[in-house]
Amino acid sequence: METDLSPLLSYLDEEGLDGYLIDDDASDSDQRYVSGFDAPDAYQTLVTADGGVHLLISGLEYGRASSDADADTVTRRSAYDYQDLVAEYGQYGGRIRGVAAFLADRDAESIAVPRSFPTGTADGLRDRGLAVTVESDGIVEDVRATKTEWEIEQIRATQRANEAAMAAAEDLIASADVEDGVLVHEGDPLTSERVKEEIEITLIRHGCALDDTIVACGADAADPHDRGSGPLEADELIVIDIFPRDKETKYFADMTRTVAVGDPDDEARRRYEVTREAYEAALDAIEPGVTGADVHDAACDVIEDAGYETLRSDPGTETGFIHSTGHGVGLDIHEQPSVAPAGGDLEPGHVITIEPGIYDPAVGGVRIEDLIVVTEDGYENLTDYPIGSGPTIE
Amino acid sequence: METDLSPLLSYLDEEGLDGYLIDDDASDSDQRYVSGFDAPDAYQTLVTADGGVHLLISGLEYGRASSDADADTVTRRSAYDYQDLVAEYGQYGGRIRGVAAFLADRDAESIAVPRSFPTGTADGLRDRGLAVTVESDGIVEDVRATKTEWEIEQIRATQRANEAAMAAAEDLIASADVEDGVLVHEGDPLTSERVKEEIEITLIRHGCALDDTIVACGADAADPHDRGSGPLEADELIVIDIFPRDKETKYFADMTRTVAVGDPDDEARRRYEVTREAYEAALDAIEPGVTGADVHDAACDVIEDAGYETLRSDPGTETGFIHSTGHGVGLDIHEQPSVAPAGGDLEPGHVITIEPGIYDPAVGGVRIEDLIVVTEDGYENLTDYPIGSGPTIE
């Protein structure tokens, strides 16, 4: 992948620093992005002021890193007598000395580090005479916000898997019978857990993993962070929010649909319609020069005009539209840019969710979410899945 | 859960510090352990010198934290005017000021932090006059190494799911036909990927998640970090290593079996037998007063006596027994204690793997792994799964 690290190099140049060091494992998306590599155990990535990318890694990962990583050099820890250092100074002291030797080899005496850089390593390097500065703007995260064509294709592929999972969930719910107000499938109550299992199995068959899914019914769905549990009920809104990650590429996708079986009451139906209008208003607002804040405002306008609270109309509200309109999606499920009150310029290549919702424990929750990419003249919807195809909400 | 944080409190007392602060999300197992809480987004946990546990958390997570966390107090960020601080000082500056206010409220002026604590937060707090010291011994990780009865039950439960997955994998492989030297299932080549899918689906049905599984055949299995890919071959050793995590409790389990279909050659069979003897020797060595190093030595003795290299006999070897005998398992898949050359005392309540192996690209890989808990008079095997029940290795 062609990553553009020039903003980072400009920063190093302006600050007169020799390099930018990441010390983490590939659960840190910045490191995965910069190194083009994925390892379960911690390793170090140094970007030198000349743009070189240099990895320091365990012997076990050396072969794979040498062939797979987007790096100019890959060095084994053993090159700096790592085992001897650990034997003499312990795991912690030995590790720091190994990293210091690696930096010295690259003439890096003053380095920037990300905000999340381990204080243990930072202080250890400082004790050994290096200058360590925190790069506090999140430059790499900002670079990551703008996706390459290749990245957009990876996200699109994860979204296809997501759509297969959503279809499996909707089909399962649609096939349920209703007995005593509860959904029943093959003689057993159809639970949130059973639908989540269907979603997860579908995703695994499509090469994706996920730790979490939301299938939340009734009052559960009024808390946007509630994952949902127990039997699904007829006549209630059911929020299905799926955010899988491709196991190979590590790119996420994200989508939400709200469905119901039976006959939701008029207030629930009205909230569904208002949410859908807010979703459409937010999409319509995406055009050249717009900010995330503008798009968020467009969604808030619709919801407030319909008589519901938002965090804009009442920062302390616990009902109504109680989250932001969207967030960036990529190697992290929540990343830059933000489609929220503080959201800055939306730029071509930004991949964001648009996901307004209305919540109240007395009525339940509604949320509709698509994944889109900002383009030169507006946006392209990466979601190829109808709204309202699910059971009987409309 | 009753966690024993007394080693941490003794440390704070000795160093004259006011508290111990963690700033991470629940992907940090120390924070999950100390707070008894699990959140997707970053939050802060402060252990004060009097043993109090105090959480600082977003409004979205406040309700769940108040009911679920093992904390004396839970405070919303908004209590420190978080949004105003972010509006005035930006995301980064506002966040630091919020944390500083939370610490001031608890009279914490001097704090210890874990090695992994974000340098951005540490330096930001230092700039605001706080004393921040890295606790470099990993005290919380050491506390976590000794499991409570409750924790052992959680690990045992995950291991039951693991055994169901191993049985599903072995059954699938055993049911395969052989055509032109390749395993065939229902007309298609039986691949590593297909067996992993079977494992993952079984684990999902048992409430577990996993990002990774190893089903590696032939030369692939000679690299202990290779996950395996492509068609499985007859007459070759197949290493199956499964390490799932319960989605609810977050406790891991870990086990490995080596199987084969057809007729592995005599050298492969010999390596299997030697590995099994090394596994038994390591288990036999577990008794009161033994160290992880002693147990590792017991496995190395068997493997070296049989004429194979180990990292003990040749630190540079790329064939033979090229990893350590085991590791702790709990909220992390790799944690303390270590069953390796530097491994210290094994103590009752330590949950460890015993997993010797022998590797060579020319022959393939063998590994046998069980999960055990150290007891007052030896060990209890948490694995309830036979060795050699799989297809035709013996």
Side-chain angles (χ1 to χ4, degrees):
Chain A
M1 184 175 67
E2 278 298 301
T3 55
D4 176 16
L5 295 178
S6 59
L8 183 64
L9 301 182
S10 298
Y11 163 80
L12 293 176
D13 185 48
E14 280 162 27
E15 301 289 326
L17 300 171
D18 300 326
Y20 180 79
L21 181 68
I22 309 179
D23 174 21
D24 210 317
D25 57 37
S27 66
D28 178 74
S29 296
D30 284 357
Q31 168 134 284
R32 186 187 166 84
Y33 186 84
V34 171
S35 69
F37 190 62
D38 184 8
D41 300 317
Y43 64 101
Q44 288 79 33
T45 302
L46 174 69
V47 181
T48 43
D50 61 3
V53 175
H54 307 279
L55 264 56
L56 178 65
I57 203 148
S58 75
L60 268 179
E61 296 288 352
Y62 176 76
R64 215 162 52 80
S66 298
S67 60
D68 295 0
D70 284 338
D72 296 287
T73 68
V74 178
T75 307
R76 283 185 184 87
R77 283 188 202 148
S78 57
Y80 303 109
D81 301 319
Y82 181 68
Q83 290 301 341
D84 293 346
L85 289 171
V86 167
E88 187 164 353
Y89 301 104
Q91 197 77 35
Y92 178 68
R95 193 167 164 286
I96 298 285
R97 283 170 172 80
V99 175
F102 166 69
L103 293 174
D105 235 14
R106 304 279 161 208
D107 296 324
E109 293 175 0
S110 62
I111 55 168
V113 299
R115 293 170 292 205
S116 62
F117 191 86
T119 305
T121 311
D123 284 5
L125 293 175
R126 286 164 174 161
D127 288 345
R128 306 196 64 72
L130 282 94
V132 179
T133 309
V134 175
E135 187 288 292
S136 60
D137 290 336
I139 293 174
V140 175
E141 208 182 338
D142 279 348
V143 168
R144 280 173 43 215
T146 302
K147 272 65 180 176
T148 65
E149 281 300 318
W150 181 86
E151 289 185 284
I152 293 167
E153 287 316 303
Q154 309 320 308
I155 294 168
R156 200 191 297 271
T158 309
Q159 178 56 21
R160 289 297 89 80
N162 202 355
E163 290 155 9
M166 184 64 79
E170 288 194 349
D171 287 351
L172 179 58
I173 291 171
S175 74
D177 299 316
V178 176
E179 291 178 16
D180 299 330
V182 170
L183 304 199
V184 172
H185 176 70
E186 294 178 354
D188 290 321
L190 181 60
T191 60
S192 168
E193 289 82 354
R194 175 67 187 81
V195 177
K196 285 190 259 192
E197 185 181 296
E198 192 74 15
I199 290 168
E200 293 179 22
I201 288 172
T202 307
L203 288 171
I204 280 181
R205 294 195 196 282
H206 286 79
C208 288
L210 79 177
D211 281 342
D212 239 338
T213 309
I214 296 173
V215 178
C217 179
D220 281 356
D223 173 354
H225 271 213
D226 194 314
R227 271 53 183 142
S229 61
L232 299 176
E233 290 169 45
D235 312 329
E236 295 283 349
L237 298 173
I238 303 169
V239 172
I240 308 172
D241 188 348
I242 317 179
F243 34 101
R245 185 180 213 183
D246 185 279
K247 286 199 280 189
E248 194 68 34
T249 69
K250 305 290 182 186
Y251 282 90
F252 279 94
D254 198 355
M255 81 182 298
T256 304
R257 292 291 182 266
T258 301
V259 302
V261 173
D263 189 19
D265 68 23
D266 288 347
E267 178 55 25
R269 288 173 187 275
R270 178 164 190 267
R271 285 163 183 242
Y272 187 87
E273 281 313 312
V274 172
T275 300
R276 184 166 183 162
E277 285 163 25
Y279 152 88
E280 280 162 6
L283 284 180
D284 286 346
I286 302 173
E287 54 185 22
V290 81
T291 66
D294 297 331
V295 174
H296 180 62
D297 278 336
C300 289
D301 287 345
V302 171
I303 292 171
E304 288 170 19
D305 286 351
Y308 302 106
E309 297 289 356
T310 72
L311 289 174
R312 186 180 71 175
S313 61
D314 175 6
T317 186
E318 293 185 354
T319 62
F321 181 28
I322 53 176
H323 53 69
S324 55
T325 296
H327 53 85
V329 172
L331 289 171
D332 283 328
I333 181 60
H334 292 132
E335 60 178 46
Q336 292 300 319
S338 169
V339 188
D345 290 341
L346 293 181
E347 290 170 12
H350 282 175
V351 171
I352 56 173
T353 66
I354 295 295
E355 50 174 315
I358 304 178
Y359 309 87
D360 187 334
V363 183
V366 185
R367 185 164 62 258
I368 298 171
E369 176 185 29
D370 275 359
L371 188 64
I372 66 113
V373 55
V374 179
T375 61
E376 290 291 347
D377 50 4
Y379 70 92
E380 180 196 349
N381 198 330
L382 298 175
T383 316
D384 182 18
Y385 198 91
I387 294 171
S389 67
T392 74
I393 183 69
E394 293 185 318
Chain B
M1 184 176 66
E2 278 298 301
T3 55
D4 176 15
L5 295 177
S6 59
L8 182 65
L9 301 181
S10 299
Y11 163 81
L12 292 177
D13 185 49
E14 281 163 26
E15 302 289 324
L17 299 171
D18 301 327
Y20 179 79
L21 182 69
I22 308 179
D23 174 21
D24 210 316
D25 57 36
S27 66
D28 178 74
S29 296
D30 284 357
Q31 169 135 283
R32 185 187 166 84
Y33 186 85
V34 171
S35 69
F37 190 62
D38 185 8
D41 299 318
Y43 64 101
Q44 288 79 34
T45 302
L46 174 70
V47 181
T48 43
D50 60 4
V53 175
H54 307 280
L55 264 55
L56 177 65
I57 203 148
S58 75
L60 268 178
E61 296 288 354
Y62 176 76
R64 215 162 51 81
S66 298
S67 60
D68 295 0
D70 285 338
D72 296 287
T73 68
V74 178
T75 308
R76 284 185 184 87
R77 284 189 201 147
S78 57
Y80 303 109
D81 302 319
Y82 181 68
Q83 291 300 341
D84 293 346
L85 289 172
V86 167
E88 186 164 354
Y89 301 103
Q91 197 77 35
Y92 177 68
R95 192 168 165 285
I96 298 285
R97 282 169 173 80
V99 175
F102 166 69
L103 293 173
D105 234 15
R106 304 280 161 208
D107 296 323
E109 294 175 0
S110 61
I111 55 167
V113 299
R115 293 170 292 203
S116 62
F117 191 85
T119 305
T121 312
D123 284 6
L125 293 174
R126 286 165 175 161
D127 288 345
R128 307 195 64 71
L130 282 96
V132 178
T133 309
V134 175
E135 187 288 291
S136 60
D137 290 336
I139 292 174
V140 176
E141 207 183 338
D142 279 347
V143 169
R144 280 173 44 215
T146 302
K147 271 66 181 177
T148 65
E149 281 300 318
W150 182 86
E151 289 186 284
I152 293 168
E153 287 317 303
Q154 309 320 308
I155 294 168
R156 201 190 297 271
T158 309
Q159 178 56 21
R160 289 296 90 81
N162 202 355
E163 290 156 9
M166 184 65 78
E170 287 193 350
D171 287 351
L172 179 57
I173 291 171
S175 75
D177 300 315
V178 176
E179 290 178 17
D180 299 330
V182 171
L183 304 199
V184 172
H185 176 71
E186 294 177 353
D188 289 321
L190 181 58
T191 60
S192 168
E193 289 82 353
R194 176 67 186 82
V195 177
K196 285 191 260 192
E197 185 180 294
E198 191 74 16
I199 290 168
E200 293 178 23
I201 288 173
T202 306
L203 288 171
I204 280 180
R205 294 196 196 282
H206 286 79
C208 289
L210 79 177
D211 281 340
D212 239 339
T213 310
I214 296 173
V215 177
C217 178
D220 281 357
D223 174 354
H225 270 213
D226 193 315
R227 272 51 182 142
S229 61
L232 300 175
E233 289 170 44
D235 311 329
E236 295 283 348
L237 299 173
I238 304 169
V239 171
I240 308 172
D241 187 349
I242 316 180
F243 34 101
R245 185 180 213 183
D246 186 279
K247 286 198 279 189
E248 195 68 35
T249 70
K250 304 290 182 187
Y251 282 90
F252 280 94
D254 198 355
M255 81 183 297
T256 304
R257 292 293 182 265
T258 301
V259 303
V261 172
D263 189 20
D265 67 23
D266 288 347
E267 179 56 25
R269 288 174 186 275
R270 178 163 190 267
R271 284 163 183 242
Y272 186 87
E273 280 314 311
V274 172
T275 300
R276 183 166 185 163
E277 284 163 26
Y279 152 88
E280 280 162 6
L283 284 179
D284 287 346
I286 303 173
E287 55 184 22
V290 81
T291 65
D294 297 332
V295 174
H296 180 62
D297 279 335
C300 288
D301 287 344
V302 171
I303 292 171
E304 288 170 19
D305 285 351
Y308 303 105
E309 297 289 356
T310 73
L311 290 174
R312 186 180 72 174
S313 61
D314 174 7
T317 186
E318 294 184 355
T319 63
F321 181 29
I322 52 176
H323 54 69
S324 55
T325 296
H327 54 84
V329 172
L331 290 171
D332 284 327
I333 180 61
H334 292 131
E335 60 178 45
Q336 292 299 321
S338 170
V339 188
D345 289 340
L346 293 181
E347 290 171 11
H350 282 173
V351 171
I352 56 174
T353 67
I354 295 294
E355 51 173 315
I358 305 177
Y359 309 88
D360 186 334
V363 184
V366 184
R367 184 164 63 256
I368 297 171
E369 175 185 30
D370 275 359
L371 188 63
I372 67 115
V373 56
V374 179
T375 61
E376 291 290 349
D377 50 4
Y379 70 92
E380 181 195 350
N381 198 330
L382 298 175
T383 316
D384 183 18
Y385 197 91
I387 294 170
S389 68
T392 74
I393 184 70
E394 291 185 319

